[in-house]
Amino acid sequence: VNDSTSSPPLICLVSSFGGKSYTFNVAYGVGKAAIDRLAVDMSYQLKKHGVATTSLYPGLVRTEANLQMVEDGTWDEASGNLDLSKGETPAFSGRAVAKLVSLSKEAMMARSGNVEVVAELAKELGFTDVDGSCPASIRSLQYLLPNFVFPQVEKEAGKPVPDWIKNNVP
């Protein structure tokens, strides 16, 4: 049982945008959607016990498994040619959780049940990845345009997107 001033316990579930839109396969998407729903439903039932919940969305993460795929030469096909060198470290998500648990009880309980995007938390709560960078949010134009839109435009047009466009993404 928590007193009225200490931060509440936090149940942090790791999910992804695969819970919101098709990513990889049906099982992946259904599993991530279930995690998001679990965070929301638990927030209702655990509120009376002073327990907060969240569903955390990291961006592209340089996990050991992903780095091994790069080494094995399978990353580009599996990821659709995403640039893993621009990805987040696993520590970035850890820093997000550390910042969340440092919030006041009122602030944490107000967020309980929410989806939290790690890069957006970094900007809001003031932390960086281990190298001092703050990767772009996976729902920002800085992430979406170079990783998804520009490659599709280049494929369809048969020529590169001009640098003056690539270098001026807001």
Side-chain angles (χ1 to χ4, degrees):
V1 177
N2 257 353
D3 66 37
S4 61
T5 59
S6 65
S7 292
L10 174 65
I11 298 173
C12 182
L13 306 170
V14 179
S15 188
S16 81
F17 277 106
K20 304 283 185 198
S21 67
Y22 184 82
T23 305
F24 303 129
N25 56 57
V26 171
Y28 182 86
V30 170
K32 296 303 181 183
I35 289 170
D36 295 347
R37 180 60 187 263
L38 182 62
V40 171
D41 289 0
M42 284 192 312
S43 75
Y44 289 108
Q45 291 192 346
L46 297 176
K47 183 177 183 178
K48 65 184 172 191
H49 301 289
V51 176
T53 65
T54 190
S55 184
L56 194 68
Y57 281 19
L60 180 62
V61 182
R62 296 189 311 255
T63 63
E64 291 173 346
N66 288 346
L67 292 170
Q68 184 63 51
M69 290 174 71
V70 170
E71 193 172 309
D72 295 343
T74 59
W75 172 256
D76 287 344
E77 183 179 348
S79 72
N81 295 309
L82 293 176
D83 185 355
L84 190 57
S85 71
K86 295 180 181 174
E88 304 168 4
T89 66
F92 194 47
S93 291
R95 289 177 174 191
V97 174
K99 285 292 190 173
L100 285 171
V101 299
S102 73
L103 296 174
S104 70
K105 180 175 185 172
E106 182 179 293
M108 193 185 300
M109 292 308 291
R111 299 177 94 111
S112 188
N114 288 352
V115 164
E116 302 282 6
V117 177
V118 173
E120 293 170 12
L121 285 173
K123 287 187 178 188
E124 177 187 350
L125 302 177
F127 64 93
T128 62
D129 208 339
V130 295
D131 63 358
S133 69
C134 189
S137 167
I138 53 179
R139 59 182 168 188
S140 71
L141 291 177
Q142 288 178 331
Y143 182 82
L144 294 171
L145 290 176
N147 287 302
F148 299 101
V149 177
F150 294 161
Q152 186 64 34
V153 168
E154 290 173 344
K155 181 180 175 184
E156 290 177 13
K159 57 185 177 182
V161 171
D163 284 341
W164 67 269
I165 294 175
K166 288 183 177 181
N167 296 332
N168 288 293
V169 175

